[in-house]
Amino acid sequence: MADLKQLAEELVNLTVKEVNELAGILKDEYGIEPAAAAVAVAGPAAGGGEEAAAEQTEFDVILKAAGGSKLAVVKLVKELTGLGLKEAKAVVDEAPKALKEKVSKDEAEALKAQLEEAGAEVEVK
């Protein structure tokens, strides 16, 4: 059990970038898609049948504007997306633009919170 507690501790302390890398590894190497797993867990608990199926499970994070501190937003976009500095700046300059597409609600809300904290104007669709 101690090993499971240690694993849980490590998972809780992952950065957003590390979580994205972990999701990629789970998908590529093991065929596990975290968003699908969340739906599978939430589906039976909801018990709403058709209502649960109609609920949106994938969200797009849209950068609407860089806001006052453009440099901080560019750095954060670079970190969150894994893009180079030039590419991250281009994404910010081309706002409104989708930063991440088809992510879970939790991930979308976390990205939105981080970007808004850096001064960006963000929308989750």
Side-chain angles (χ1 to χ4, degrees):
M1 283 298 209
D3 292 333
L4 290 177
K5 287 184 180 182
Q6 182 181 1
L7 177 62
E9 181 76 24
E10 290 177 20
L11 288 173
V12 169
N13 292 321
L14 291 177
T15 64
V16 173
K17 185 176 181 181
E18 291 169 333
V19 169
N20 287 334
E21 289 177 19
L22 176 60
I25 292 168
L26 290 173
K27 181 178 179 186
D28 296 341
E29 294 184 19
Y30 301 100
I32 301 171
E33 292 192 44
V39 171
V41 170
E50 293 177 5
E51 291 177 20
E55 185 178 333
Q56 184 176 356
T57 58
E58 294 181 337
F59 297 85
D60 296 341
V61 179
I62 312 293
L63 176 67
K64 292 177 74 176
S69 56
K70 184 177 174 182
L71 182 59
V73 174
V74 170
K75 287 181 179 180
L76 186 58
V77 168
K78 178 182 179 285
E79 179 184 328
L80 295 174
T81 60
L83 296 172
L85 187 59
K86 183 177 180 180
E87 292 82 6
K89 182 182 180 301
V91 168
V92 172
D93 288 342
E94 295 168 3
K97 183 146 178 110
L99 287 181
K100 294 272 187 166
E101 296 178 330
K102 298 183 180 180
V103 296
S104 69
K105 182 176 183 175
D106 291 340
E107 184 178 354
E109 291 299 327
L111 291 169
K112 179 180 179 184
Q114 286 183 307
L115 288 160
E116 286 178 342
E117 186 176 313
E121 190 177 325
V122 184
E123 179 182 5
V124 175
K125 287 186 176 181

